[in-house]
Amino acid sequence: MSFKKLFLLVLLIGFTSVIQAQHYLGYNLNVGDTLKITQVSEQEIVQKMNDQEHKIINNLGGDYLFHIKKETDSSYIINFKYDSFFMKTTSNLAGTIFNVDTKKDISEDDVEGKIFKGLTETALEINMLKTGKIVSLVGTEDLINNMINDLDFDNFTKEIMKESIRNEFGGESLIESLNQFTFMYPNKTVNIGESWKNEFKGDMKAKNTWQLDKVDKVDNNIYISCNSDITLTSKEDTLTMNLEGTQQSVITSNKNSGWPIEAKITSIAKGISIMKGMESVEIPTTIISTTTYKPFK
């Protein structure tokens, strides 16, 4: 074999190896499938003022159902539903502030329990691109109505409560919340070690740099990590927070479907809080959070 032919053969083998090393990343879901995931989050909020530390612990999460209803050229139409929801808030100064779990019996006088029980009674329709980016969501007004309708309040009070709930479960807010679980793919082939970027918006803004770390041919999983710069901005009736920090994500997904099997997201953000009526007082605030996602049966 001549040197020229040998050189071309080596070049061809090298080129073929590069092609084989590339992996398509994106969702490839089957119409009719129902995908189930459990979220568990712990959030620690520490505020310091006049040598006193106020520590608030939020434990929240639930079970979520995604039923693949239809596939288009670029997206999936998915019915999404909260199968269950729980949240417990405790304070080192005030004890238990909030405690609700929709898997447990809800008493007639449990207002918070009734509200979040209503959260589990409505299916939403999601339009999700094959990158995981959710571009539209239908049904949030029905969701909010179901969270309020069973309460024994006058219409004026219900309308005020609905407006407050829209901040968390309205269309744009809920889209951005769900994007943080689904939106991770570049919808192209990448090599192991290659990175790509996207952004999350909303109350928590994140500039994300993703990387394909590993493709396991034995368990047929892909392993992805992400480093993010985050900004948390919250403006409530009684409290405003402005924080900045970093977030790390480690995700295992099924190579064929792209669906996340497990995920762990950790973050730390620091900044200030301002209480209503204390506009001149800036309270140093730190939030540390850990969220995990796993399948449930």
Side-chain angles (χ1 to χ4, degrees):
M1 180 181 293
S2 69
F3 176 78
K4 182 178 180 181
K5 288 183 178 179
L6 180 61
F7 175 76
L8 290 173
L9 180 60
V10 170
L11 189 64
L12 179 61
I13 292 172
F15 179 74
T16 304
S17 297
V18 170
I19 293 297
Q20 290 175 341
Q22 291 184 323
H23 303 275
Y24 170 78
L25 298 183
Y27 288 95
N28 183 26
L29 307 174
N30 295 318
V31 173
D33 284 354
T34 297
L35 304 166
K36 306 176 182 181
I37 207 80
T38 293
Q39 174 194 350
V40 177
S41 299
E42 180 172 296
Q43 182 185 70
E44 179 183 281
I45 304 172
V46 179
Q47 298 174 315
K48 294 183 178 180
M49 184 176 178
N50 297 329
D51 297 324
Q52 185 177 43
E53 181 176 274
H54 185 199
K55 182 182 291 186
I56 299 171
I57 304 294
N58 289 320
N59 290 282
L60 60 94
D63 300 327
Y64 312 139
L65 303 177
F66 298 79
H67 179 75
I68 314 306
K69 183 178 177 182
K70 181 181 177 181
E71 181 179 4
T72 71
D73 290 340
S74 61
S75 70
Y76 294 97
I77 307 302
I78 302 171
N79 283 344
F80 168 76
K81 186 176 183 294
Y82 290 90
D83 191 66
S84 66
F85 181 86
F86 70 87
M87 181 174 178
K88 183 176 182 180
T89 301
T90 58
S91 161
N92 64 323
L93 301 180
T96 300
I97 299 172
F98 187 89
N99 190 6
V100 63
D101 186 344
T102 63
K103 288 185 177 180
K104 298 179 179 179
D105 292 335
I106 306 297
S107 64
E108 283 299 318
D109 60 349
D110 185 353
V111 174
E112 291 86 359
K114 285 185 175 182
I115 289 174
F116 287 101
K117 186 68 174 177
L119 182 67
T120 67
E121 296 173 351
T122 308
L124 304 171
E125 186 177 273
I126 292 170
N127 187 351
M128 184 185 80
L129 301 181
K130 293 183 179 180
T131 59
K133 184 176 183 179
I134 296 171
V135 294
S136 66
L137 187 152
V138 177
T140 53
E141 280 305 304
D142 289 339
L143 178 74
I144 293 168
N145 286 334
N146 282 338
M147 295 174 73
I148 297 298
N149 283 345
D150 288 341
L151 300 180
D152 189 20
F153 294 147
D154 60 79
N155 290 335
F156 178 75
T157 302
K158 286 183 178 181
E159 288 302 317
I160 294 175
M161 296 181 71
K162 286 179 183 179
E163 192 60 35
S164 177
I165 289 173
R166 283 190 186 98
N167 292 332
E168 294 295 330
F169 295 99
E172 289 301 318
S173 297
L174 197 50
I175 284 174
E176 292 306 328
S177 177
L178 291 170
N179 269 335
Q180 294 178 38
F181 169 68
T182 61
F183 185 24
M184 69 186 84
Y185 294 128
N187 199 20
K188 66 176 184 179
T189 57
V190 296
N191 296 315
I192 293 173
E194 188 174 349
S195 63
W196 62 96
K197 298 179 184 291
N198 68 14
E199 293 187 13
F200 299 149
K201 299 179 181 179
D203 288 346
M204 192 196 83
K205 295 179 175 63
K207 294 183 177 180
N208 309 306
T209 301
W210 300 86
Q211 179 173 294
L212 176 60
D213 296 323
K214 178 183 176 183
V215 177
D216 195 318
K217 295 181 180 180
V218 176
D219 62 18
N220 201 36
N221 290 335
I222 57 177
Y223 297 83
I224 297 172
S225 60
C226 181
N227 290 310
S228 309
D229 294 320
I230 62 174
T231 302
L232 297 173
T233 304
S234 177
K235 294 184 179 181
E236 305 293 338
D237 291 339
T238 59
L239 178 68
T240 297
M241 287 198 297
N242 294 292
L243 311 172
E244 294 183 350
T246 58
Q247 180 172 276
Q248 292 76 41
S249 306
V250 180
I251 298 170
T252 302
S253 298
N254 179 273
K255 187 177 186 298
N256 292 334
S257 68
W259 190 253
I261 299 169
E262 291 187 353
K264 184 175 182 180
I265 303 167
T266 57
S267 68
I268 180 168
K270 297 182 178 181
I272 60 168
S273 300
I274 300 175
M275 303 291 290
K276 184 177 181 180
M278 300 174 61
E279 283 76 7
S280 61
V281 180
E282 297 182 349
I283 305 170
T285 302
T286 300
I287 298 181
I288 301 171
S289 66
T290 300
T291 298
T292 59
Y293 294 96
K294 294 183 178 181
F296 83 93
K297 298 180 179 180

